[in-house]
Amino acid sequence: MCWWKEKRTYRYLFVASLIGLVVYFLYLLRGLMLPFVLAVVLVYLLNPMVDRMEKRGSSRVAAILILYLGVIIVVSSLLMYGVPRMVNQLEKLVETIPAYTDQVENTVTQIQRHFADSDMPPGVQQILDERITWVEQRLMEVVRQAIDLLLGIISNLLYIALAPVLAFYIMKDIKELKKWAIAQFPQRCSADVLRLARQIDQVFASFVRGHLTVVMIVSVLTSLVFVLIGLEFGVMLGIIAGLAELIPYFGPLIGAVPAVAMALLQSKWLALKVIIAVTIIQQLEGNIISPKILGDSVGLHPLAIIASLLAGGHLFGIAGMLLAVPMAAIARIVVSFIWEKLC
């Protein structure tokens, strides 16, 4: 019998169509995915500790509640200590923005005058003027995106508050959920599905736990160094530099730009010190911290990582760059699995 007349072929087509419809449905509801994404992050962070506590005799629900209590205490302490200082820094930044804006405008004006007084050909000077205007527009766009991001976080507080509730029920019934998911596949496929799920789970676990650990270490180190060298808003800029570590290769550069720009507004010597400090921290992160914590966590060639980052950033902006690497790693696992079965 020809392959296109076999019942199995139609079953595969049905499953593929069903997966496509589910993916499309999730795409339509992408604005509501934030609590589920945060819940998955919480599960990956807390579930290993819940499993350990359960093995030592604690009930699963009690273990989750104890961990939640610990997280609430730690987060509340950090908020009580850190939020007033962050608010003070933000208030100070708001007060000094006009002065910084005037400095930037004066610098841009001087550059434009310098090029205008030079003996450059008119065509080259026009191109330079257009590039300067383009840089100004891009900087304003970055500022606008940062403000939109902050406003988006505030407007999604209800969704963010749902994440711990969803994570609680996922961790509580995670074993049953896994059994149910495996039972949906035929017995002959269960071993392959389980192997594929474990590989995907390993990528997610490494990305969530490993990268968040790196982010925390780099944020603390950078903030301390920025404060010690006298950079204004050092804690805030250190946290930004740490969060940028979630983006491989481009992240350190993206995180360093605000700190260097702020330092330049204070003094060129301070900017040099910031560049040296960031370079040293990035060398520590790249050669010691990340290899120890992450290793080869995603199994992708650097060219593949860079290509996925460029594609993710082009299609979905910063969010696309954050999710590009784990999505590319999962795609590699799935494609390798399908290729293995076809061959």
Side-chain angles (χ1 to χ4, degrees), residues 101-171:
T101 304
D102 290 340
Q103 282 185 256
V104 172
E105 288 179 353
N106 291 334
T107 302
V108 172
T109 302
Q110 290 175 5
I111 293 172
Q112 289 176 332
R113 285 176 181 171
H114 173 74
F115 286 126
D117 296 338
S118 64
D119 296 329
M120 288 185 182
V124 175
Q125 187 170 327
Q126 181 181 355
I127 293 172
L128 287 172
D129 291 338
E130 290 174 355
R131 290 297 91 189
I132 291 172
T133 304
W134 179 83
V135 170
E136 292 177 2
Q137 292 173 349
R138 291 296 298 172
L139 288 173
M140 290 300 296
E141 185 179 340
V142 169
V143 172
R144 258 189 246 107
Q145 288 179 350
I147 294 172
D148 290 341
L149 179 62
L150 290 174
L151 292 175
I153 291 173
I154 294 171
S155 64
N156 286 303
L157 283 178
L158 177 60
Y159 290 152
I160 293 172
L162 284 174
V165 179
L166 295 171
F168 173 84
Y169 286 107
I170 293 173
M171 286 189 287

Side-chain angles (χ1 to χ4, degrees), residues 12 82 103 146 170 193 221 229 274 282-283 293 321 339:
Y12 289 154
Q103 282 185 256
I170 293 173
V193 171
L221 284 175
I229 64 178
V274 168
Q282 292 308 319
Q283 290 301 313
I293 296 173
M321 294 184 77
W339 184 261

Side-chain angles (χ1 to χ4, degrees), residues 61-307:
V61 173
I64 297 171
L65 293 176
I66 291 170
L67 280 176
Y68 269 31
L69 179 61
V71 170
I72 290 171
I73 292 172
V74 172
V75 172
S76 300
S77 302
L78 290 174
L79 291 176
M80 290 176 62
Y81 178 80
V83 167
R85 286 160 179 77
M86 291 293 291
V87 169
N88 289 335
Q89 287 202 341
L90 287 172
E91 288 178 352
K92 189 177 178 182
L93 178 61
V94 170
E95 292 173 358
T96 54
I97 277 177
Y100 288 144
T101 304
D102 290 340
Q103 282 185 256
V104 172
E105 288 179 353
N106 291 334
T107 302
V108 172
T109 302
Q110 290 175 5
I111 293 172
Q112 289 176 332
R113 285 176 181 171
H114 173 74
F115 286 126
D117 296 338
S118 64
D119 296 329
M120 288 185 182
V124 175
Q125 187 170 327
Q126 181 181 355
I127 293 172
L128 287 172
D129 291 338
E130 290 174 355
R131 290 297 91 189
I132 291 172
T133 304
W134 179 83
V135 170
E136 292 177 2
Q137 292 173 349
R138 291 296 298 172
L139 288 173
M140 290 300 296
E141 185 179 340
V142 169
V143 172
R144 258 189 246 107
Q145 288 179 350
I147 294 172
D148 290 341
L149 179 62
L150 290 174
L151 292 175
I153 291 173
I154 294 171
S155 64
N156 286 303
L157 283 178
L158 177 60
Y159 290 152
I160 293 172
L162 284 174
V165 179
L166 295 171
F168 173 84
Y169 286 107
I170 293 173
M171 286 189 287
K172 174 178 171 290
D173 300 322
I174 193 166
K175 294 179 182 177
E176 288 74 15
L177 289 171
K178 288 179 179 179
K179 291 178 182 177
W180 176 83
I182 294 172
Q184 304 310 304
F185 295 90
Q187 188 67 33
R188 65 180 183 276
C189 302
S190 58
D192 289 332
V193 171
L194 191 59
R195 177 166 63 90
L196 181 63
R198 282 174 178 165
Q199 290 177 337
I200 294 174
D201 177 73
Q202 185 178 358
V203 169
F204 264 122
S206 175
F207 183 79
V208 172
R209 298 173 197 148
H211 282 78
L212 288 182
T213 302
V214 172
V215 164
M216 186 170 60
I217 293 172
V218 173
S219 296
V220 172
L221 284 175
T222 310
S223 299
L224 285 174
V225 172
F226 284 172
V227 170
L228 288 174
I229 64 178
L231 179 64
E232 290 189 33
F233 319 111
V235 175
M236 188 166 53
L237 293 169
I239 293 172
I240 292 171
L243 290 173
E245 290 294 326
L246 288 171
I247 304 173
Y249 299 112
F250 303 115
L253 178 61
I254 294 171
V257 167
V260 174
M262 185 63 68
L264 275 172
L265 295 175
Q266 294 180 242
S267 72
K268 294 179 181 178
W269 172 239
L270 182 60
L272 179 60
K273 288 195 286 187
V274 168
I275 292 172
I276 293 171
V278 169
T279 303
I280 293 172
I281 291 172
Q282 292 308 319
Q283 290 301 313
L284 288 172
E285 182 269 331
N287 296 302
I288 298 175
I289 298 172
S290 287
K292 290 286 185 183
I293 296 173
L294 298 176
D296 188 15
S297 58
V298 293
L300 291 174
H301 191 276
L303 288 176
I305 293 176
I306 293 172

